[in-house]
Amino acid sequence: MGCFQSKVARQYPGHEDPIILASQTAFSVSEVEALFELYKSISSSLVDDGLINKEEFQLALFKNIKKENIFANRIFDLFDAKKKGFIDFGDFVRGLNVFHPNVSQEDKMDFAFKLYDMDGSGFIERNEVKQMVIALLCESEMKLADETIEAILDKTFLDADINQDGKIDKSEWRNFVSCNPSLLKIMTLQYLRDITTTFPSFVFNSEVDEIAT
């Protein structure tokens, strides 16, 4: 086993023991092992170096690397917590953990907050929400007039920005999401209960439809 682990570690930099990763996440050991098969596939899709770069990550999520995708970039940046410019296997498992159905709503709320807080200021600002809404609309191939998007933003900040300072802090975000739980639909991937070797697709349509109504 030791020889096997050392061989894997050489081939896949950043590989960690599945038992340790399972103890730190909501995944079982067998699920972590299944995720490793998935990781191997993604990390060799463009460059066979045992690591996932941003292009490989976007290709896995959206089957497309031709156009810049803010949403994919943000998720990649959050998975790449140490800002190395790539995702190793430990990053991959810990990043996916927040999408596991058994992970708390609080953890999902915090991750979603970071997703929208693009500049890491500790606040979600109007322009950041606008960029994300437009990115989600583009991925779902929905088209909304600028006035409609602005109306969505107006309603969002009217409901969420309790102290009316033009930005949403973490407490306001948690309160807003608690009143609008559909916002966290994207944060739970049922596929992760029983891992398959197909990378779970993020579904935008239901969220955008609900925001637009």
Side-chain angles (χ1 to χ4, degrees), residues 159-174:
D159 293 344
D161 183 17
I162 297 171
N163 63 8
Q164 298 183 330
D165 63 353
K167 53 193 177 185
I168 301 168
D169 63 30
K170 190 168 287 188
S171 175
E172 290 171 329
W173 172 254
R174 287 182 173 178

Side-chain angles (χ1 to χ4, degrees), residues 75-163:
I75 297 177
F76 181 92
D77 289 343
L78 292 176
F79 275 40
D80 178 21
K82 295 180 180 176
K83 310 303 177 195
K84 298 172 292 191
F86 58 80
I87 296 170
D88 62 31
F89 182 58
D91 299 329
F92 184 68
V93 175
R94 292 188 181 90
L96 277 179
N97 181 60
V98 76
F99 294 95
H100 196 288
N102 293 346
V103 168
S104 72
Q105 291 297 95
E106 288 73 21
D107 285 347
K108 294 179 189 296
M109 284 184 193
D110 288 348
F111 186 93
F113 182 88
K114 292 175 185 175
L115 200 61
Y116 283 91
D117 179 19
M118 295 184 186
D119 62 3
S121 66
F123 299 95
I124 298 174
E125 298 176 41
R126 186 183 178 100
N127 187 53
E128 292 172 325
V129 178
K130 184 173 184 177
Q131 288 183 66
M132 290 297 284
V133 169
I134 291 172
L136 291 169
L137 289 170
C138 287
E139 285 307 318
S140 61
E141 298 184 346
M142 287 183 66
K143 294 188 183 299
L144 291 180
D146 288 344
E147 307 84 67
T148 305
I149 293 174
E150 292 299 329
I152 292 171
L153 296 173
D154 288 342
K155 180 70 165 61
T156 298
F157 275 79
L158 180 66
D159 293 344
D161 183 17
I162 297 171
N163 63 8

